[in-house]
Amino acid sequence: MLTPSFEVDQDESHVLLRIYVPYVRMQGMDFLVVDNVLRFHCKPYFLRLTFEDKLHDQEDLHTGDYNFETGWLLLRLAKATPGQNFKELHLMSKLLLNSTETMTSDGRKKIPAVEVIQNYEEY
């Protein structure tokens, strides 16, 4: 799977996501929004973005428009709370993090601590 190029912006009631997916078939294009996570798939592309704030779960509120000439897909994702300002949309690496992953204060991914299950001296 390839991660496509993308740009994120917002207006009063929507998060505007532009995804560059040239030469694809519209029939195989699919996206799903659950809480604050967007999953987009269109063979061979896959994109999962985790926002800090929630998007609306009702799928008929989200719209998409694909420009065949340029290869850009524009998704208009409805905010769960219209008027809310989504922060840090310009931080692409933070949006790409899985919702279970966290970052340290200096911007690096946290590595889980090692847990000792059994002491070697017990043998």
Side-chain angles (χ1 to χ4, degrees):
M1 293 284 173
L2 300 173
T3 301
S5 298
F6 65 96
E7 300 171 357
V8 185
D9 202 0
Q10 65 182 320
D11 62 17
E12 192 67 23
S13 58
H14 291 85
V15 172
L16 309 172
L17 176 63
R18 291 184 63 217
I19 307 172
Y20 184 64
V21 286
Y23 315 113
V24 295
R25 294 184 178 179
M26 289 292 295
Q27 295 87 358
M29 198 174 290
D30 187 33
F31 71 94
L32 173 69
V33 175
V34 178
D35 291 330
N36 64 334
V37 178
L38 164 87
R39 287 183 182 88
F40 168 80
H41 178 260
C42 185
K43 196 173 184 179
Y45 300 102
F46 178 77
L47 182 63
R48 179 182 56 218
L49 300 178
T50 304
F51 298 95
E52 287 190 9
D53 300 304
K54 289 188 176 187
L55 297 167
H56 210 293
D57 287 340
Q58 194 172 352
E59 66 182 55
D60 61 336
L61 297 177
H62 307 299
T63 61
D65 184 36
Y66 184 65
N67 186 329
F68 291 99
E69 293 175 5
T70 63
W72 283 97
L73 169 69
L74 173 64
L75 295 178
R76 294 178 48 85
L77 309 170
K79 296 178 180 179
T81 308
Q84 183 175 14
N85 184 29
F86 280 47
K87 298 176 183 169
E88 300 181 348
L89 290 179
H90 63 285
L91 300 176
M92 303 297 183
S93 59
K94 192 168 184 177
L95 293 174
L96 288 167
L97 281 178
N98 189 345
S99 59
T100 59
E101 297 174 341
T102 56
M103 295 183 74
T104 61
S105 60
D106 60 353
R108 293 182 300 163
K109 192 165 127 181
K110 266 190 189 174
I111 300 173
V114 176
E115 179 182 351
V116 177
I117 298 175
Q118 196 169 29
N119 192 346
Y120 177 73
E121 295 174 0
E122 293 177 1
Y123 287 110

